[in-house]
Amino acid sequence: MTKLVYFAWVRERIGKGEEDIDLPADVRTGTDLLRHLKSLGDEYAHALEHEKVIRIAINQEHVEHDEPITGAREIALFPPMTGG
């Protein structure tokens, strides 16, 4: 089981802040994860339609989309952030 955590408009569009999910064996990277999630329903497809802008954190560490996610305890997905 992997805990997925959603933030900001990703959370709003999916309709939940987090969930535990069993990932298929072929979901090995952040890109694979986004594509898998988009197949789970319209709310996921809408939230992740611009997957290149979605940021990913594995175990609270920001990573690139091609980073392996195997063994991750927590994966967070969120839109681009601005700061100041």
Side-chain angles (χ1 to χ4, degrees):
M1 254 323 158
T2 302
K3 180 178 187 175
L4 300 181
V5 183
Y6 308 114
F7 291 95
W9 52 258
V10 174
R11 176 186 62 232
E12 292 168 9
R13 292 176 183 178
I14 290 175
K16 56 182 118 180
E18 63 183 55
E19 64 183 317
D20 291 317
I21 188 169
D22 281 321
L23 296 174
D26 64 339
V27 176
R28 296 184 181 109
T29 67
T31 298
D32 295 339
L33 173 64
L34 294 174
R35 290 188 183 141
H36 171 70
L37 291 173
K38 287 168 65 173
S39 74
L40 297 181
D42 291 341
E43 64 276 14
Y44 291 91
H46 178 61
L48 305 171
E49 66 184 324
H50 303 291
E51 66 184 66
K52 292 186 189 266
V53 302
I54 299 296
R55 303 294 301 148
I56 299 173
I58 297 175
N59 300 329
Q60 301 183 359
E61 183 177 324
H62 291 253
V63 299
E64 298 297 325
H65 285 204
D66 61 353
E67 184 77 21
I69 62 170
T70 304
R73 294 180 314 279
E74 178 186 273
I75 301 172
L77 303 177
F78 46 93
M81 299 176 289
T82 60

